[in-house]
């Protein structure tokens, strides 16, 4: 497994390396201290399995850097790191395509478990954020359904701790599956058979951003294509009305 870590503090990078190699001795740890370095490292290692990015970078905004890296590698899962863990920043990161958000004060086992969850196709948000601001970040976003085990973009590693995920089941709402409001907007249009370009125009989003949201939706539903997503949505009983996803009637 190859992990790209971008943080301007050497102590943070060294600490992460020690913690994660303790769980996965074969981990290939690739470091950068700023946005420019992150772009160069990704160019040198296009097969990176996951990226951990600091929210505050010396030469750029970490969330904007995430969008730039995912525009180049749309299948790249990204987890944001921050010393500050406010609900608004967490929501901005997830809405822009992050697969997780971790506080730098997280316990070692929480860190490893969260990364396991993301590698399994889930989305991780620290529960303390939801306790502070429950009206801004839905509890369902803590974990979402894992990908099918044969997904081509998943690699083994970081397995000893693991993390639970919420399984999809009939009648679940889009929010209960872990989809953000923006991802739900994309899912509505995906189920209407619209292309990425059409979704871009309707939602005023960059095509790279739409691709990130589609990737997240496929992970949540545990499928590998749009067609499979439609089948999975039908199995879950989703319907579309007035631009909204509706669960099956009880």
């Amino acid at each position: 497994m190859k992990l790209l870590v971008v943080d301007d503090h050497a102590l943070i990078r060294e600490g992460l390396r020690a913690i994660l190699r303790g769980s996965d001795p074969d981990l290939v740890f690739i470091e950068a201290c700023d946005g420019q370095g992150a772009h160069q490292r990704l160019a040198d290692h296009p097969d990176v399995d996951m990226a951990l990015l600091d929210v505050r970078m010396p030469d750029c905004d970490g969330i904007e850097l995430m969008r730039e890296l995912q525009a180049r590698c749309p299948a790249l899962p990204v987890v944001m790191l921050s010393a500050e863990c406010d609900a608004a920043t967490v929501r901005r990161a997830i809405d822009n395509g992050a697969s997780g958000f971790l506080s730098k004060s997280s316990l070692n086992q929480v860190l490893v478990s969260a990364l396991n969850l993301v590698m399994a196709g889930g989305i991780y948000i620290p529960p303390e954020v939801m306790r502070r601001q429950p009206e801004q970040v839905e509890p369902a976003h803590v974990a979402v359904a894992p990908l099918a085990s044969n997904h081509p973009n998943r690699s083994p590693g970081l397995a000893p701790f693991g993390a639970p995920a919420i399984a999809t089941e009939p009648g679940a709402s889009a929010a209960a599956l872990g989809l953000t409001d923006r991802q739900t907007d994309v899912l509505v249009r995906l189920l209407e058979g619209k292309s990425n370009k059409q979704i871009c125009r309707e939602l005023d989003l960059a095509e790279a951003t739409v691709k990130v949201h589609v990737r997240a939706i496929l992970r949540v539903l545990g499928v590998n294509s749009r067609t499979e997503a439609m089948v999975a949505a039908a199995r879950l009983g989703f319907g579309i009305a007035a631009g909204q996803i509706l669960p099956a009637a009880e």
Side-chain angles (χ1 to χ4, degrees):
M1 177 180 172
K2 281 190 176 182
L3 181 68
L4 172 64
V5 177
V6 186
D7 195 293
D8 57 321
H9 292 96
L11 284 176
I12 295 293
R13 301 196 303 272
E14 291 172 7
L16 288 170
R17 187 192 311 115
I19 294 168
L20 298 177
R21 279 189 173 158
S23 177
D24 183 359
D26 296 324
L27 176 70
V28 177
F29 200 85
I30 302 163
E31 299 180 35
C33 62
D34 56 23
Q36 182 177 356
H39 281 287
Q40 184 59 55
R41 294 292 185 273
L42 191 59
D44 294 340
H45 302 275
D47 57 340
V48 164
D49 294 293
M50 183 191 297
L52 273 65
L53 308 183
D54 191 1
V55 170
R56 298 184 182 278
M57 303 298 300
D59 60 346
C60 64
D61 175 79
I63 295 176
E64 289 301 318
L65 174 62
M66 171 187 67
R67 295 177 63 181
E68 293 171 4
L69 297 182
Q70 288 183 326
R72 295 174 56 181
C73 298
L76 178 66
V78 176
V79 176
M80 302 305 300
L81 298 170
S82 180
E84 302 172 1
C85 218
D86 63 280
T89 302
V90 172
R91 187 59 177 267
R92 177 174 168 241
I94 299 300
D95 280 346
N96 278 279
S99 294
F101 196 104
L102 278 165
S103 168
K104 290 183 179 179
S105 61
S106 298
L107 297 175
N108 293 2
Q109 185 167 340
V110 171
L111 169 67
V112 176
S113 295
L115 297 189
N116 275 333
L117 175 64
V118 170
M119 286 305 297
I123 297 175
Y124 178 82
I125 291 178
E128 61 267 23
V129 173
M130 294 176 293
R131 284 197 293 268
R132 288 198 298 266
Q133 298 287 345
E135 74 284 359
Q136 294 186 37
V137 181
E138 294 86 343
H141 291 170
V142 174
V144 298
L147 265 179
S149 59
N150 62 348
H151 193 283
N153 292 323
R154 295 296 161 209
S155 303
L158 302 174
F161 292 112
I166 297 173
T168 58
E169 55 187 28
S173 67
L177 296 179
L179 294 178
T180 66
D181 292 342
R182 181 57 81 189
Q183 289 165 356
T184 301
D185 291 340
V186 173
L187 177 57
V188 168
R189 288 152 180 83
L190 187 152
L191 296 180
E192 291 173 344
K194 293 178 179 175
S195 67
N196 284 355
K197 291 186 182 296
Q198 290 173 313
I199 296 173
C200 290
R201 289 194 293 268
E202 290 192 12
L203 298 180
D204 193 24
L205 296 173
E207 186 169 2
T209 301
V210 171
K211 288 180 179 179
V212 169
H213 287 318
V214 170
R215 175 175 59 83
I217 290 166
L218 297 185
R219 286 204 314 265
V220 167
L221 294 177
V223 298
N224 298 319
S225 70
R226 288 168 174 258
T227 301
E228 291 177 3
M230 292 180 179
V231 173
R235 186 180 70 245
L236 292 169
F238 285 162
I240 303 174
Q244 295 182 333
I245 293 287
L246 301 177
E250 297 182 359

